[in-house]
Amino acid sequence: MTSRLMLLDTASLYFRAFYGVPDKVHSPDGTSVNAVRGLLDMIAKLVSAYEPTHLVACWDDDWRPQWRVDLIPSYKAHRVEETVASGPDVASGPDVEEVPDPLEAQIPVIREALATLGIAVVGAARHEADDVIGTLATTSAHPVDIVTGDRDLFQLVDDERDVRVIYTARGMSNLEIVTDEVVVAKYGVHAAQYADLATLRGDASDGLPGVKGVGEKTAATLLAAHGDLAGIRAAADAGEGMSAGVRAKLAEAADYLDVAPRVVAVATDLALGAVDDALPGLDEKAIAAARELADRWNLGTAMERAIAALG
């Protein structure tokens, strides 16, 4: 079997499971388990279909890092349920993300299920799962599949290194394999230019304003002509390669453009240490532990499907 690393954007998947799987089954204590069941079914399907030899569930240790907020205060601000105070005399931590209570209660069960199945869970202080994915994808000696519903990770697609995205936005029954060719067809830019496209266009779902008056098509045209954001700004400063109106819009957004690339770019150089990401299969002891967990939380056939795929 050819080696292949699969990186799960875990929060993206369990949010999708929570909203996509009917909340009809509960654990004996009444806890909802639709997100746990849904995530286990996703993992079973992904492992069966794409046959990774290595697997990591990448985790948001900090879903809204302060260093990104310091650069762009609106970054993910609309998702904050509670702001956590910080300062030299105050214990600080990540702001509290708005998460439905029935999902919040399932997250510890998700962590336990992943551990019981022998799936490595990797996060990094002051960084998002995207940054963990970026680092592992960039440094992996194996071809890589990134499983996500977040198009920001298209910037990591690399045909030469066989890094691709398994895009879940249209549902698990309609997965899309995103290569550089797909990014070009969708957006008119190469994957290596996608972060600059996102910077110019903005993204309301992440609280990124973009350059006012510069939409996706204009951004793609500018990138096609000038290569990258630095080239676009240099051409604008020289009064070349675009209309006076576009130059004025870029000039007005100069402060944003000075900092936004650092916010949009996925980190690729985190010190994650050694990660035991191999999938050796489940022995009898592990299978028994997984079934005990399934009985305790009423995970039913979803756990059995995960055991079958991983075993």
Side-chain angles (χ1 to χ4, degrees):
M1 180 184 294
T2 303
S3 65
R4 192 163 202 97
L5 169 63
M6 178 173 283
L7 301 173
L8 305 179
D9 183 1
T10 315
S12 170
L13 297 180
Y14 67 62
F15 267 95
R16 176 168 292 277
F18 176 75
Y19 287 109
V21 176
D23 186 14
K24 295 181 178 179
V25 180
H26 302 86
S27 70
D29 69 357
T31 301
S32 297
V33 291
N34 59 332
V36 189
R37 282 172 163 248
L39 180 62
L40 289 173
D41 273 333
M42 288 177 181
I43 291 171
K45 177 171 183 174
L46 290 162
V47 170
S48 298
Y50 300 102
E51 299 184 333
T53 54
H54 300 71
L55 178 63
V56 177
C58 301
W59 205 263
D60 282 321
D61 277 11
D62 190 340
W63 70 279
R64 188 176 183 247
Q66 187 62 44
W67 61 270
R68 282 190 165 110
V69 177
D70 289 343
L71 294 170
I72 299 181
S74 62
Y75 182 66
K76 294 186 177 180
H78 60 294
R79 300 192 219 167
V80 175
E81 180 176 327
E82 179 185 346
T83 301
V84 177
S86 62
D89 301 317
V90 181
S92 62
D95 288 337
V96 178
E97 184 177 12
E98 186 176 9
V99 177
D101 289 344
L103 174 56
E104 186 76 34
Q106 297 182 65
I107 293 175
V109 187
I110 289 170
R111 290 289 299 243
E112 188 175 1
L114 293 170
T116 302
L117 290 169
I119 297 172
V121 177
V122 180
R126 299 180 298 281
H127 286 84
E128 302 170 58
D130 287 8
D131 302 310
V132 175
I133 291 169
T135 297
L136 293 175
T138 302
T139 59
S140 176
H142 313 289
V144 178
D145 285 335
I146 299 166
V147 185
T148 185
D150 184 353
R151 58 184 180 171
D152 288 344
L153 292 172
F154 291 174
Q155 64 185 274
L156 297 172
V157 168
D158 185 337
D159 287 1
E160 185 174 340
R161 296 187 57 251
D162 197 6
V163 177
R164 60 189 188 176
V165 167
I166 300 174
Y167 193 45
T168 65
R170 295 188 297 178
M172 292 300 295
S173 61
N174 197 15
L175 296 171
E176 181 178 16
I177 302 297
V178 177
T179 61
D180 189 68
E181 181 181 4
V182 172
V183 176
V184 171
K186 282 178 176 287
Y187 302 104
V189 299
H190 291 283
Q193 299 171 299
Y194 186 83
D196 284 345
L197 177 79
T199 297
L200 289 163
R201 175 197 63 206
D203 189 340
S205 68
D206 281 338
L208 297 174
V211 176
K212 186 176 181 180
V214 173
E216 192 166 275
K217 290 184 178 180
T218 299
T221 299
L222 290 169
L223 287 165
H226 305 291
D228 58 18
L229 183 57
I232 292 169
R233 298 188 76 184
D237 290 343
E240 301 171 349
M242 65 197 73
S243 68
V246 171
R247 289 199 301 274
K249 292 169 184 174
L250 292 169
E252 186 176 351
D255 290 346
Y256 164 78
L257 292 173
D258 287 343
V259 298
R262 291 172 58 196
V263 175
V264 175
V266 170
T268 58
D269 58 355
L270 300 183
L272 297 176
V275 176
D276 184 9
D277 57 9
L279 283 178
L282 301 173
D283 59 22
E284 291 183 5
K285 183 178 179 180
I287 291 172
R291 285 176 173 157
E292 186 280 326
L293 181 71
D295 289 342
R296 181 158 31 105
W297 289 102
N298 194 21
L299 303 180
T301 55
M303 179 61 86
E304 287 300 323
R305 284 188 285 271
I307 290 171
L310 293 164

